[in-house]
């Protein structure tokens, strides 16, 4: 399996690549958006880990290029800080995995594992649909839940808004900033 | 002196009155007496004249009748004759006394006397018996009859003379009366003149000054203190009054000048103060008119092009202040109003004061627009810089942390004990630094706008229990126990779930940090008044020294000598969150049993 880690911070890049590489996985790195796009052009990757904030082409810019080419590679968006607008922009591009920096190696591995081999939960199914930009399917996966936990409720709300969003920009604006705390990936020990 | 003069004048008048009365009485007495004596004298003459006739006829009757009797029949008695003659002569003497100095009277009296002599001679002869013959008798009778007739005539004569006298006296009396009347009238006229003089003097000395004083007082009442009263030259009670009045007017003039001066000085000072204030200041009357504005306000109005009015945004605020009847004194520069002047943005913090005098007579509004553009700019700069710097530090730090974690995982190779200790220490520092950065970023986020809340009915007990279970592992390691105490049937509160959790977590975390090992942390929830639920978190730690209790909610405040880490933002952020909830956060006063009690009051749903 091949992973591409894109980050302009060399130590972090190195750490990420090292943490994710094992006998079954190989992580390559790119130090900026341009380089990442070049590598993506060259070969196929199973997963893209991209930093949101980068000097030339930022994380979302990279994803946009990919989606324009019709490539639906799963993407984990890493950032230290993200606004609700950027997050929604990302979700609409099929990026539903957010990793908040700083991140521990264990959490990083868990996040990657979860994306590559999703567990059999309604939320995982919904996120899987979200990765393919199928918001209505994602919302439907969560709707039957009788007692959603805050994270599930937050995702349901987002998917519901996005699925009928086309004419409803204002509903997006009204989503509270706090949803971000819920949608970001959380390791088992972070609860 | 007026009193003396008045006394003299009235004294004169009284004297005159007495004189007139005395003169009148005297004249009346005099006239009466004269009339009386005249009457008495003349009346006695008339009576005497009558008596003469009566006496003669008595004599004639007595004696002449004997002539008709035979002669010598009885001797003639002379007693009656002597008696009558003596009386007649006596009366004649009286009449003669009256007649003295009156020629006609003397003549009549002399003739009377002569006739009487003859008359008495006749009777002497008769009584002596000289008359014996018939012839003699008839002659005597004839002569006596003639004499009697003459006596009667002369008597008549005397009586008419006396009457004449009486008439003359009456005439004189009436003449006297005219003269007296004239005299008394003259005196009365004089009295009237004196009374007039007194009146004139009274008017001049008493009424005129009073009228003048009244006029002057009226003038003073109208505020004309320049009006003075002329001081009467001669000594008069009014001189002192007028002097006193003039002194009073002078005093008032002085006072007014002082008042005017202090007013002028105050106005100047006020104007100078207003001019010295760089912020625009408007003073508005109760009916909304601009009473005063300082040069800065004029300048602002000119720039906004709204010369005589309040800027619209300010007017709206003033209107709402008026409806609430309260001042508006915001402190937070974020509440500033934005004005665009020459393509530039200016922020003015509107401070609206209501002012009133003690009796609410003079009320109005003062509006000060505090220019906080620079503060806003600096604040924005600071927030931006805080955020930028934090991010810039955070980015490499995440890399370092990642690497440290990887090394500590020992996947890259086994570490010696020393290497492990050093890396663990570096990792701890790294974690602490990241925590600090997280708080700084929270702060910059909190400051870049009031936290937006998603408020709904929330079970406060559930939040407290969540928080306690979150810290249980950490507390358990140090033998710290939790106790949650609550009333039955607590109503829900109206709050933002996550934000309120943040606050409770902060308080519980602090309690766990500061309480000694193997002690108890108590979370209590109870009603507080009719509008709040109060959640208290108490621990058995040393507590907060009293001198710092007021400051612990300030940003970046850390009590000196604190062992644990942190930058002193936790409680500040908590306070911001509680403010946004219209709730409260605070520390209870210390007591023996519970050294530290923090509380939050959350509004009921």
């Amino acid at each position: 399996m091949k992973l591409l880690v894109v980050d302009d911070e060399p130590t972090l890049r190195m750490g990420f690549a090292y943490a994710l590489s094992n006998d079954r996985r190989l992580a390559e790195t790119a130090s900026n958006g341009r380089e990442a796009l070049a590598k993506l052009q060259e070969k196929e990757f199973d997963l893209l880990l991209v930093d949101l904030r980068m000097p030339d082409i930022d994380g979302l810019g990279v994803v946009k290029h990919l989606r324009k080419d019709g490539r639906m590679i799963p993407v984990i968006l890493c950032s230290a800080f993200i606004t609700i607008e950027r997050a929604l922009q990302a979700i609409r591009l099929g990026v539903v995995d957010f990793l908040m920096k700083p991140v521990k190696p264990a959490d990083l591995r868990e996040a990657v594992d979860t994306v590559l081999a999703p567990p059999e939960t309604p939320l995982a199914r919904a996120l899987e649909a979200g990765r393919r930009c199928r918001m209505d399917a994602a919302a439907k996966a969560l709707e039957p839940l009788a007692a959603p936990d805050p994270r599930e409720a937050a995702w349901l709300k987002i998917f519901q808004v996005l699925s009928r969003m086309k004419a409803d920009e204002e509903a997006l604006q009204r989503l509270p900033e706090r949803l971000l705390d819920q949608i970001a990936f959380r390791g088992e020990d972070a609860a | 002196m007026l009193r003396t003069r008045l006394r003299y004048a009235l004294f004169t008048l009284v004297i005159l009155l007495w004189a007139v009365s005395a003169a009148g009485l005297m004249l009346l007495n005099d006239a009466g007496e004269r009339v009386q004596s005249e009457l008495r004298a003349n009346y006695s003459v008339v009576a005497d004249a009558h008596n003469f006739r009566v006496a003669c006829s008595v004599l004639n009757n007595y004696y002449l009748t004997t002539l008709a009797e035979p002669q010598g029949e009885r001797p003639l008695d002379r007693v009656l004759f002597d008696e009558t003659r003596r009386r007649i002569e006596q009366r004649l003497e009286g009449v003669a006394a009256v007649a003295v100095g009156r020629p006609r009277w003397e003549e009549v009296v002399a003739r009377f006397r002569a006739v009487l002599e003859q008359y008495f001679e006749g009777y002497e002869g008769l009584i002596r018996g000289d008359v014996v013959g018939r012839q003699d008798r008839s002659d005597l009778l004839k002569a006596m009859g003639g004499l009697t007739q003459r006596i009667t005539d002369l008597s008549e004569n005397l009586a008419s003379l006396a009457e004449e006298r009486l008439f003359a006296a009456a005439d004189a009396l009436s003449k006297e009366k005219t003269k007296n009347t004239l005299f008394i009238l003259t005196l009365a006229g004089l009295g009237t003149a004196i009374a007039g003089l007194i009146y004139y003097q009274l008017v001049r000395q008493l009424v005129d000054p009073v009228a003048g004083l009244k006029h002057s007082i009226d003038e003073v009442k109208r505020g004309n203190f320049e009006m003075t009263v002329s001081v009467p030259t001669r000594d008069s009670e009014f001189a002192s009054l007028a002097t006193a009045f003039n002194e009073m007017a002078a005093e008032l003039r002085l006072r007014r000048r002082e008042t005017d001066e202090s007013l002028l000085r105050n106005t100047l000072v006020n104007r100078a103060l207003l001019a010295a204030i760089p912020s625009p200041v408007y003073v508005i009357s109760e009916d909304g008119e601009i009473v005063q504005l300082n040069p800065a306000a004029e300048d602002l109005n000119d720039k906004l092009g709204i010369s005589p009015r309040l800027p619209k945004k300010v007017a709206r605020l003033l209107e709402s202040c008026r409806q609430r009847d309260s001042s508006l004194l915001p402190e937070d520069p974020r509440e500033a109003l934005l004005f665009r002047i020459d393509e530039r943005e200016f922020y003015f913090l509107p401070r609206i004061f209501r002012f009133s005098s003690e009796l609410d007579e003079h009320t109005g509004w003062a509006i000060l627009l505090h220019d906080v553009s620079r503060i806003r700019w600096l604040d924005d700069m600071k927030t931006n810089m805080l955020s930028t710097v934090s991010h810039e530090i955070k980015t490499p730090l995440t890399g370092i942390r990642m690497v440290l974690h990887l090394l500590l995982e020992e996947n890259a190779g086994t570490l010696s004990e020393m290497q492990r200790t050093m890396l663990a220490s570096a990792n701890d520092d790294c974690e602490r630094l990241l925590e600090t950065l997280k708080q700084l970023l929270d702060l910059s986020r909190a400051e870049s706008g009031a936290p937006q809340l998603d408020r709904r009915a929330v079970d406060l007990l559930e939040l407290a229990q969540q928080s306690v279970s979150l810290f249980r592992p950490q507390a358990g390691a140090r033998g710290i126990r939790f106790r949650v105490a609550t009333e039955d049937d607590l109503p829900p509160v109206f709050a933002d779930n996550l934000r309120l959790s943040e606050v409770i977590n902060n308080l519980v975390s602090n309690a766990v940090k500061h309480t000694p090992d193997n002690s108890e942390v108590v979370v209590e929830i109870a009603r507080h008044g009719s509008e709040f639920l109060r959640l208290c978190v108490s621990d058995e730690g040393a507590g907060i020294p009293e001198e710092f209790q007021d400051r612990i909610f300030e940003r970046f405040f850390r009590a000196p000598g604190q062992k644990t880490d942190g930058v002193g933002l936790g409680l500040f952020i908590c306070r911001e969150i509680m403010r946004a909830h219209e709730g409260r956060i605070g520390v209870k006063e210390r007591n023996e049993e519970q050294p530290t009690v923090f509380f939050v009051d959350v509004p009921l749903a």
Side-chain angles (χ1 to χ4, degrees), chain B residues 184-203:
Chain B
I184 285 175
L185 275 180
T186 310
L187 281 182
L190 195 64
T192 309
I194 290 175
L197 195 70
I198 290 171
Y199 168 79
Y200 170 73
Q201 284 292 333
L202 276 180
V203 165

Side-chain angles (χ1 to χ4, degrees), chain B residues 286 316-326 365:
Chain B
E286 199 55 68
R316 269 201 296 273
L317 281 177
L318 177 64
E319 194 46 47
S320 74
C321 278
R322 245 204 220 131
Q323 278 162 9
R324 281 180 288 118
D325 197 26
S326 65
W365 301 85

Side-chain angles (χ1 to χ4, degrees), chain B residues 161-181:
Chain B
L161 272 177
E163 268 167 22
E164 209 173 285
R165 243 353 251 193
L166 272 177
F167 285 129
D171 270 357
L173 194 65
S174 99
K175 263 185 209 144
E176 193 84 346
K177 197 183 88 189
T178 313
K179 209 169 72 192
N180 288 351
T181 306

